[in-house]
Amino acid sequence: MLNYAIIFLIIAIIAGVLGFGGIAGAAATIAKVLFFIFLILFVVSLIRSRR
């Protein structure tokens, strides 16, 4: 899932450089959401592995 967040972040950066504002904003938002989901799942897996 972290790979998808990185891919969307790269798409957002490229789209921002090329001037596609709407696409860059959407890709950045998707990247943020995926990154936070990854962090939440990572913390949950850490907590569950200690038990």
Side-chain angles (χ1 to χ4, degrees):
M1 185 165 307
L2 185 59
N3 290 334
Y4 291 131
I6 292 170
I7 289 170
F8 277 108
L9 179 63
I10 291 170
I11 290 171
I13 291 170
I14 292 171
V17 168
L18 295 176
F20 300 112
I23 296 171
T29 303
I30 293 171
K32 275 194 249 181
V33 168
L34 288 175
F35 180 72
F36 286 122
I37 290 172
F38 169 77
L39 279 179
I40 291 168
L41 291 176
F42 178 69
V43 170
V44 167
S45 68
L46 283 178
I47 291 171
R48 293 189 86 197
S49 68
R50 290 191 176 213
R51 291 184 182 177

